[in-house]
Amino acid sequence: MADLQGPPPPLPPAAGRTLTLVSALSPPSSSRAWLSAPHPYLPLVATCSSDRIVRVYSLLNFKLHSQIEGGHKRSIRSCAWKPTGNFRTESVLATGSFDASAGIWRRWNDQGERAPPREAADADGQESGTGTEKEEEEDDDSDWRFAVILDGHESEIKSVAWSPSGQYLATCSRDKSVWIWEELDDDTFETIAVLQEHDGDVKSVVWHPEEELLASASYDDTIRLYKEDVDDWLCVALLKGHASTVWAIDFSPPNHTPILPPSSSPEYPLIASHLTTLRASGPRLISCSDDRSIRVWRRTPPTPTPTSPAPAQDKPRIPSILRTSSSEQEWLEETSARLPQRHNRAVYSVAWSKRSGRVVSGGGDGRVVVYEERFVAPSDLPKGGEGEGEGGENAAREPAEWVVVAEMEAAHGVFEVNHVCWATRFDKGRRSEDEEVILSTGDDGIVRVWALDLD
């Protein structure tokens, strides 16, 4: 096993690919910043910090847009934008605090906040004709409204997450529980599940991008997945493999596949078969841990079985129904596709790009690392032994590998990186409509914006 105290091996050349600092969001927090959440549609990002304030910045000019304060009594640890609803006119943000409560905040969107076309941005990265910053500050509609507080947890809330439909909000806490809240109407929420499956502090919750399937990561070194069965939410899978606290998890984008080799490659038929399996499995799950590893998990597609024989010809024909025998799911670690170990301290955050399929990680060593998945010839796969992990015979071996494409040491100086995420690029320097930037959030209270140069 590698020396956990030593530095990682030197990074090989990455074909000129670098992370370039675009800007820092201004002004920063005066205390530790925990997490940054990009708006799903608008050029905004919310950052929560230990000074009990959520700062909302513009991704057009990287300046403070508005801020949320007064609703929580202790550090705000997590926040998440509601992905659906009347987002064209109103934004909804959920916050989770160390005061054991979650808050729901609402704000009417300004007309000028919509993302401008590339040619419409002026020299300051602002949309032409939308008014001055002073005029925006004087607009009463720019105020955030504290809509409702959700109480129930007995200790600090560590993470909040909306389901893809926006119907459910998940929260998790140091009290070892995961709560699921259903929004019945604006500002009316009902607790529909209190899940107490973990044996330790629950660090993170995230929803599957296509299903009402919830994943949670914990201090007990495990990941659990939950799904509604009739009227109850049940734990349908338990993922073991990490040797220490699992800090964060994220799902891959739907239909993402590794970079393919040319179709003329002799390995292509084997890879095409694996591609079919990936598509049947659906989005994968990635996790990072205090053990410094980043792992990928894939669901085994269920084997459907018919519920009854075909009806006789003289009876009314009933449509065939295929069902699985159990609500339980099997998730396997893709051991051969484990990400290279680049961190020499705990990995606190990992994020899977919903556009490019790349992954970014950040952690206690101050590094920000970007990875890319590529298919490889099956003959080049590792043959087992040290580094294969605890998956053993139940591990899924894949004809793919992850490679480091860029790395930034001391991204926040001597401070730890608490969170990393991907965001659409909106400022004047963007090179294409689908370009992304990386946001790193640090113990220094600063959020930095990085561009990945792939030229």
Side-chain angles (χ1 to χ4, degrees), residues 164-201:
S165 66
Q167 181 180 1
Y168 302 117
L169 177 70
T171 60
C172 66
S173 168
R174 188 179 178 183
D175 63 13
K176 307 178 185 179
S177 70
V178 175
W179 288 49
I180 300 178
W181 313 76
E182 182 178 12
E183 185 174 19
L184 304 178
D185 199 354
D186 285 353
D187 305 338
T188 302
F189 286 79
E190 179 184 20
T191 306
I192 60 170
V194 177
L195 306 166
Q196 297 176 305
E197 301 287 340
H198 284 291
D199 295 325
D201 182 352

Side-chain angles (χ1 to χ4, degrees), residues 279-291:
R279 289 171 176 165
S281 299
R284 292 172 289 167
L285 185 69
I286 195 166
S287 59
C288 63
S289 169
D290 210 68
D291 65 12

Side-chain angles (χ1 to χ4, degrees), residues 137-156:
E137 291 173 358
E138 293 176 350
D139 186 355
D140 291 337
D141 289 341
S142 67
D143 292 339
W144 285 91
R145 311 184 305 279
F146 193 20
V148 65
I149 189 167
L150 305 177
D151 287 319
H153 283 289
E154 298 176 356
S155 190
E156 297 101 324

Side-chain angles (χ1 to χ4, degrees), residues 136-398:
E136 290 182 3
E137 291 173 358
E138 293 176 350
D139 186 355
D140 291 337
D141 289 341
S142 67
D143 292 339
W144 285 91
R145 311 184 305 279
F146 193 20
V148 65
I149 189 167
L150 305 177
D151 287 319
H153 283 289
E154 298 176 356
S155 190
E156 297 101 324
I157 288 180
K158 297 298 183 69
S159 179
V160 297
W162 292 95
S163 66
S165 66
Q167 181 180 1
Y168 302 117
L169 177 70
T171 60
C172 66
S173 168
R174 188 179 178 183
D175 63 13
K176 307 178 185 179
S177 70
V178 175
W179 288 49
I180 300 178
W181 313 76
E182 182 178 12
E183 185 174 19
L184 304 178
D185 199 354
D186 285 353
D187 305 338
T188 302
F189 286 79
E190 179 184 20
T191 306
I192 60 170
V194 177
L195 306 166
Q196 297 176 305
E197 301 287 340
H198 284 291
D199 295 325
D201 182 352
V202 188
K203 301 293 187 181
S204 177
V205 284
V206 65
W207 291 88
H208 189 284
E210 298 179 312
E211 307 172 19
E212 306 291 15
L213 176 68
L214 179 66
S216 62
S218 173
Y219 181 80
D220 66 9
D221 311 343
T222 70
I223 301 164
R224 289 182 180 268
L225 293 106
Y226 314 88
K227 195 173 182 66
E228 188 175 23
D229 184 15
V230 190
D231 292 328
D232 293 326
W233 284 80
L234 304 175
C235 179
V236 296
L238 171 61
L239 282 55
K240 294 183 177 181
H242 283 292
S244 190
T245 302
V246 185
W247 283 102
I249 47 181
D250 195 18
F251 279 100
S252 69
N255 302 317
H256 164 66
T257 57
I259 296 177
L260 289 166
S263 58
S264 58
S265 168
E267 292 86 10
Y268 191 84
L270 294 174
I271 291 174
S273 174
H274 172 62
L275 192 59
T276 301
T277 302
L278 278 183
R279 289 171 176 165
S281 299
R284 292 172 289 167
L285 185 69
I286 195 166
S287 59
C288 63
S289 169
D290 210 68
D291 65 12
R292 304 188 305 158
S293 72
I294 302 174
R295 306 175 185 228
V296 178
W297 312 79
R298 174 171 56 82
R299 176 168 53 185
T300 301
T303 303
T305 54
T307 58
S308 60
Q313 293 296 326
D314 58 345
K315 295 182 179 180
R317 185 171 293 276
I318 301 175
S320 174
I321 300 176
L322 300 180
R323 295 177 179 169
T324 57
S325 59
S326 172
S327 59
E328 293 184 358
Q329 299 181 5
E330 182 182 28
W331 288 73
L332 303 177
E333 182 192 352
E334 295 182 351
T335 344
S336 56
R338 188 175 299 176
L339 277 65
Q341 186 171 297
R342 298 304 308 160
H343 294 277
N344 56 25
R345 295 184 64 184
V347 187
Y348 292 141
S349 180
V350 64
W352 210 321
S353 167
K354 302 305 181 280
R355 291 194 177 189
S356 68
R358 295 188 182 93
V359 164
V360 62
S361 65
D365 58 3
R367 280 186 173 88
V368 173
V369 186
V370 182
Y371 314 82
E372 191 173 84
E373 188 179 21
R374 300 171 181 171
F375 276 115
V376 294
S379 59
D380 294 334
L381 291 174
K383 302 302 181 182
E386 186 175 357
E388 185 173 323
E390 299 181 6
E393 294 180 355
N394 293 325
R397 301 189 62 77
E398 315 296 340

